[in-house]
Amino acid sequence: MKKIFKTINFTILASSLLFMGSCKDFLDANTSVDTEEGTALSSAGQLQMVLTSAYRQLYFNDQGADRVYAGLPGLQMYVDLGGADIVSHTNMGGNQVDTYKYEPGRTQTTGTSDAIWSMMYKIINQTNKIIHAVPAAQGDEAIKNQILGQAKAIRGICYFHLIQNYQQTYMIAKEKKGVILRLDPKEDLNLPRATVQQVYDQILADLGEAKALLKGFDRPDKWTINEDIVSGQLARVYLVMNNWQGALTEASTVYNKYSQLMTRDQYRSGFDDAITNAYPEVVWAMKFTTTNNLGGGTQFNFWYNQDEKYGEGYTDGPIYAFLDFFADGQYEKLFEKTEDRYQFWKRTKNANKEWSTKWAYDKYKHYGDANGAVQGNTRPEVTLMRGSEMLLIMAEAAAHLNNGMGLAYLNRLQTARGVKNLTKAATGNPLLEAIYVERRKELLCEGVTGLYDLLRLQKPLTRIQETPTYVEGHYTWGMTNLDGYDPKSSNPIGTLPSNDYRFICQIPQLEMTRNTQLKESDQNPFKGQ
C-alpha cells in the first residue's frame, strides 16, 4: 500500500505566523547540501515560507522513503520497531517490516541508511538558509526573532535525531565520529564527521538560542514550536547526556504548564484527537487533513486496532487498519489488568492464527468518517510531546540526583494511570528500573523509547519467540537476524548486545562517495561494539 501525499497547506494567519507559499523548489534536494540557487530571502514573509517548508519536511517528509521514514510520525514507528515491545506481521511488507526484522539493509551503507540522513539534512538545509538570511532581511524584529528561533530549534531537533541514529550513545562515544555539522547554506559539500561531543555542543547551542528567541512567543497551533517544546527537547537531550540537573530543570519547566494528565477515557480514546479535544498535557502535536496527510502511512493504520464488533478485515468498520503491529507478550505482562493503560485483548475470531494468537493494542485508533473507511479517510492527530514524558524525565533525573523526589514523581504518574501496586523502591537501581519500565508502558510509539532507550541506557535487545506454549511472542522473522537465536530451542531467544552497531546506521554511500573529506576508515562498522 503506497502512501498518499498531498501538498501541505497551512492556514494563512496573521503576519506574525507562518503561511504557506510555493515551497516545492526547496524540497527537491538530491544530496544533503543541494539547494535551489538564487533563492531570495530578503523579507520576513519569504523567510516564513521557507520555514513552513521546513515544517512540512519535519512532519511529512513527502519526498523521502516509505512509512517509517515519513517525518517525525514515521520515526515514532522506527524507534520502537527496533525494540522488544512491538511485533510486526509481514502482510504489508515495506520498511516497517525490515526495521522490525533487523534486515541488514536497514542500516548498511548501500541499504536504507540514507533515509534518515537525507530527510534530516534536507530540513537542516532549509533552516540554514533561514538562519543565514535573517539578519539582513526586512521586517519586524520580533517576527524575525520568532522565525529564527523556530529555525534553530528545528535544526537542533534534526541533529539530535541524526546523532542518535549514526553513532553510539553520548556517554560512551563523546570522542567518536558523529555526523557532519553543516551550518551554512553555502558551506562546502566536503566536510568531515564532527565528533559526538561537537554535535551535542551544537544541539545545545541551537536549542539554547531558540529558547531565548522564542520567549513569550504565543504560537498559533500545537504544531508550531515554541519555548515549551524547546525546553522539552532540551530535557530529552540532557537525559541522553546524563546531565541530570539540566534534565530535571527543563522537564519541570514544561511539566508545570502541562501537568493535568490524560484521564482514563482520554487515554483510551485512540490518541487521535489530542488537538481537537484539547488534552491539557499535550505539549506538541500535529494533525493530518485532506490536503496535509501521509495517506495510510501512519501508525494508526499499522496497529491491529479494529473494533471487534465490526469484523477482522482491513476496512471492516470505521477504522482502516493494515493488521500489522501487535504488542509482545512480555510487554503485556508489564501492566496491571485494571489500570487505565491496559488496552489489550486477545484476538480469537480471525481465522489466521498468525493474527489471532497475538495481543492487539488500541492506543492508536483513528475512526474514519464512514463505515468501511478508506485510506483517504486516515486523518489522525499525532502527539509529539506530553506532560507525562516530562514527569518521567523528572523522575529519572531526580532518582540519579538522589534528591528524594524520584519516587514521588513516578508514583504521581502511576496514580494518574490507575496503578494500584505503586512502586515502593525509593532509591537506586530498583527505582531506576521501575522508571524505565514505566517509560515503556506510557510512551510506546511516541518516538522516545524503544531503540533510543536501549542505546542511551546501554541495554541489550532481547526478544522471545512464539512457541506452541507461548503463542504471543515474536514472529520467527523478528528473530533470525539476532544473536543466539536457535529455532530448535524450546524457548528461542534472540539478542543484540548493548551498543551493537546493528542498532546504528552507517553513513550513506552517496555521502561517502561524494564527500572527499571522508575515507573508508570514517565509516561506522556494520556490527559489533
Side-chain angles (χ1 to χ4, degrees):
M1 185 69 64
K2 292 187 68 176
K3 293 181 297 184
I4 298 173
F5 288 107
K6 301 291 184 180
T7 301
I8 193 167
N9 180 25
F10 291 111
T11 304
I12 298 177
L13 301 168
S15 61
S16 63
L17 311 180
L18 301 177
F19 65 91
M20 183 58 193
S22 178
C23 301
K24 185 168 179 60
D25 286 346
F26 301 118
L27 304 176
D28 287 333
N30 293 319
T31 74
S32 62
V33 293
D34 288 342
T35 55
E36 185 72 14
E37 292 299 327
T39 303
L41 296 177
S42 58
S43 70
Q46 291 168 331
L47 292 170
Q48 288 172 324
M49 292 170 64
V50 181
L51 182 60
T52 301
S53 174
Y55 271 115
R56 173 185 172 181
Q57 289 288 355
L58 186 67
Y59 296 143
F60 298 95
N61 189 36
D62 63 353
Q63 295 180 0
D66 190 30
R67 294 169 181 165
V68 299
Y69 303 109
L72 294 184
L75 283 179
Q76 288 184 322
M77 290 189 283
Y78 177 86
V79 169
D80 276 284
L81 281 164
D85 297 333
I86 296 181
V87 176
S88 179
H89 201 277
T90 59
N91 61 300
M92 287 304 297
N95 288 321
Q96 78 282 353
V97 178
D98 291 343
T99 298
Y100 167 67
K101 292 167 66 177
Y102 273 90
E103 284 291 329
R106 165 186 167 272
T107 55
Q108 284 180 321
T109 180
T110 55
T112 55
S113 66
D114 66 334
I116 298 172
W117 186 273
S118 60
M119 171 171 62
M120 291 303 171
Y121 277 111
K122 285 177 183 177
I123 303 168
I124 288 168
N125 291 339
Q126 301 286 68
T127 61
N128 284 343
K129 291 170 73 72
I130 295 167
I131 293 166
H132 182 75
V134 162
Q138 296 179 346
D140 182 84
E141 287 300 314
I143 294 175
K144 288 168 58 178
N145 283 341
Q146 292 166 8
I147 294 169
L148 181 60
Q150 291 171 78
K152 283 183 174 286
I154 292 172
R155 188 170 72 178
I157 290 167
C158 289
Y159 272 120
F160 187 45
H161 280 291
L162 280 169
I163 198 60
Q164 289 182 101
N165 282 286
Y166 290 89
Q167 189 50 275
Q168 294 171 323
T169 195
Y170 175 83
M171 292 307 296
I172 64 169
K174 297 176 188 177
E175 301 308 316
K176 290 188 177 182
K177 296 169 183 177
V179 295
I180 298 169
L181 285 176
R182 292 190 166 110
L183 307 176
D184 190 304
K186 298 179 181 179
E187 207 157 51
D188 190 347
L189 168 69
N190 302 306
L191 291 172
R193 295 176 69 180
T195 66
V196 170
Q197 182 67 63
Q198 289 169 331
V199 175
Y200 272 88
D201 288 345
Q202 185 61 50
I203 292 168
L204 293 178
D206 277 345
L207 294 178
E209 291 168 20
K211 184 178 177 182
L213 288 163
L214 295 174
K215 186 174 181 60
F217 172 45
D218 186 14
R219 61 177 173 171
D221 294 288
K222 284 286 186 180
W223 59 262
T224 311
I225 294 174
N226 67 352
E227 182 183 3
D228 298 333
I229 294 172
V230 176
S231 282
Q233 285 292 335
L234 280 167
R236 291 171 173 175
V237 174
Y238 285 138
L239 200 67
V240 174
M241 299 178 73
N242 289 10
N243 180 339
W244 308 122
Q245 187 57 59
L248 178 60
T249 299
E250 296 294 345
S252 298
T253 297
V254 182
Y255 176 74
N256 289 339
K257 296 181 183 179
Y258 300 88
S259 59
Q260 186 177 334
L261 304 185
M262 285 182 176
T263 65
R264 177 187 179 92
D265 288 342
Q266 288 170 344
Y267 201 94
R268 287 172 167 259
S269 68
F271 259 68
D272 73 332
D273 290 320
I275 300 173
T276 298
N277 293 334
Y279 295 160
E281 77 159 292
V282 174
V283 184
W284 188 17
M286 48 84 67
K287 65 169 62 179
F288 298 115
T289 69
T290 55
T291 53
N292 316 321
N293 66 81
L294 294 174
T298 75
Q299 62 179 298
F300 292 87
N301 300 104
F302 284 98
W303 284 100
Y304 198 136
N305 53 17
Q306 300 289 64
D307 284 332
E308 186 172 307
K309 62 183 178 181
Y310 290 108
E312 305 287 340
Y314 295 155
T315 57
D316 289 341
I319 295 174
Y320 190 91
F322 297 153
L323 319 182
D324 242 29
F325 295 170
F326 300 88
D328 172 56
Q330 299 302 307
Y331 182 71
E332 185 270 341
K333 292 177 181 178
L334 300 178
F335 294 80
E336 294 177 358
K337 304 304 183 285
T338 56
E339 69 172 84
D340 297 348
R341 293 170 301 194
Y342 188 76
Q343 304 188 52
F344 306 91
W345 70 100
K346 201 60 169 261
R347 283 289 177 182
T348 58
K349 297 179 181 179
N350 197 300
N352 189 332
K353 289 187 177 181
E354 287 183 348
W355 286 331
S356 64
T357 55
K358 304 304 179 189
W359 283 111
Y361 183 63
D362 65 349
K363 177 179 178 179
Y364 294 98
K365 299 176 71 169
H366 176 72
Y367 292 91
D369 56 12
N371 199 34
V374 297
Q375 183 176 2
N377 292 329
T378 305
R379 306 290 181 257
E381 298 169 358
V382 179
T383 297
L384 300 170
M385 185 182 291
R386 294 190 291 127
S388 293
E389 180 196 351
M390 296 298 109
L391 185 55
L392 285 165
I393 292 176
M394 292 161 58
E396 185 174 343
H400 279 285
L401 292 169
N402 199 25
N403 65 8
M405 290 301 297
L407 181 62
Y409 293 144
L410 175 60
N411 286 168
R412 187 182 303 174
L413 177 64
Q414 291 174 326
T415 300
R417 296 290 176 250
V419 174
K420 295 179 180 178
N421 184 26
L422 300 179
T423 298
K424 294 182 172 58
T427 59
N429 285 333
L431 174 58
L432 286 169
E433 289 299 326
I435 293 168
Y436 303 151
V437 168
E438 209 66 38
R439 282 178 61 86
R440 291 168 61 191
K441 292 169 63 179
E442 179 71 20
L443 302 172
L444 184 72
C445 253
E446 295 187 45
V448 293
T449 55
L451 173 66
Y452 284 172
D453 266 6
L454 289 176
L455 286 170
R456 76 175 182 89
L457 298 173
Q458 300 174 55
K459 289 179 174 289
L461 169 66
T462 302
R463 290 176 178 172
I464 301 176
Q465 185 192 294
E466 61 183 358
T467 64
T469 57
Y470 178 63
V471 294
E472 59 267 42
H474 282 271
Y475 292 120
T476 56
W477 51 80
M479 306 290 294
T480 54
N481 290 315
L482 304 184
D483 291 350
Y485 170 62
D486 179 3
K488 297 180 181 179
S489 170
S490 60
N491 183 35
I493 294 176
T495 65
L496 287 184
S498 63
N499 311 308
D500 193 281
Y501 272 97
R502 283 168 288 182
F503 289 121
I504 298 159
C505 294
Q506 292 189 303
I507 306 303
Q509 187 60 48
L510 182 63
E511 188 72 55
M512 294 296 296
T513 300
R514 293 188 176 184
N515 190 338
T516 61
Q517 289 292 310
L518 298 182
K519 305 181 294 293
E520 284 303 315
S521 60
D522 292 316
Q523 182 60 273
N524 291 334
F526 166 62
K527 62 188 296 186
Q529 298 175 299

